[in-house]
Amino acid sequence: MPTRAAVYEAGADLEPFQVLAGEHALLRLQLTRALDAARANPLGSTARRALAALYDGFRLHQRREDLVLVPACERLFGGRDGAASVLRDEHAAIRRAFTAALAKPVGLGSLSVPALHELHGLLEAHFVREERVLFPMMTAHLARREAADLARRLRATRLA
Ligand SMILES: [Fe+2]
Ligand SMILES: [Fe+2]
């Protein structure tokens, strides 16, 4: 499995939306691992570790989008409503689904497979909407220099 650092190393010359789609691919893989491990043994540490790794990756991805993508979306498509507001609402719903899935401390108790399924449904629908609608729409509206700046700022954003 590629590491997060490797994804960004490889993404040094990519367009901003290729960078984000690459992160989606990594997060999908991590969620599949967490689900498989939870189905095999919801009490096991493997499932907890897989979910914790997914959550770390998700927090960074969402922070990059919240700090860089959402403001760019507001600037391109106007105001705080519309596409940016859908993004913000979906991010909030996914955060709530993570909170439900992570309700028990790592290493204790059983992972909820239904909570992980709920998370999977929300994440997948959100990723598909970004990849098929939002990213192409933004690509069409961004000048080449703006796209390069967006990619640079996405990669520079780290967890607080
Ligand atoms: Fe997102
Ligand atoms: Fe995303």
Side-chain angles (χ1 to χ4, degrees), residues 30-73:
Q30 288 175 313
L31 180 51
T32 299
R33 287 188 171 176
L35 256 172
D36 287 349
R39 283 195 199 103
N41 180 8
L43 280 163
S45 60
T46 304
R48 280 276 161 206
R49 276 200 306 272
L51 183 58
L54 168 68
Y55 188 53
D56 283 348
F58 166 78
R59 282 170 51 238
L60 177 60
H61 178 74
Q62 197 165 79
R63 182 172 163 80
R64 288 179 163 152
E65 290 189 345
D66 287 341
L67 294 182
V68 179
L69 189 71
V70 173
C73 193

Side-chain angles (χ1 to χ4, degrees), residues 20 24 61 65 69 91 126-127 130 135:
L20 293 173
H24 289 179
H61 178 74
E65 290 189 345
L69 189 71
H91 284 182
H126 177 69
F127 287 171
E130 287 183 337
F135 296 170

Side-chain angles (χ1 to χ4, degrees), residues 142-160:
L142 283 172
R144 191 169 181 76
R145 195 170 50 77
E146 292 175 304
D149 182 59
L150 202 65
R152 183 189 56 72
R153 287 188 294 124
L154 281 168
R155 282 194 297 271
T157 302
R158 304 272 181 238
L159 285 174

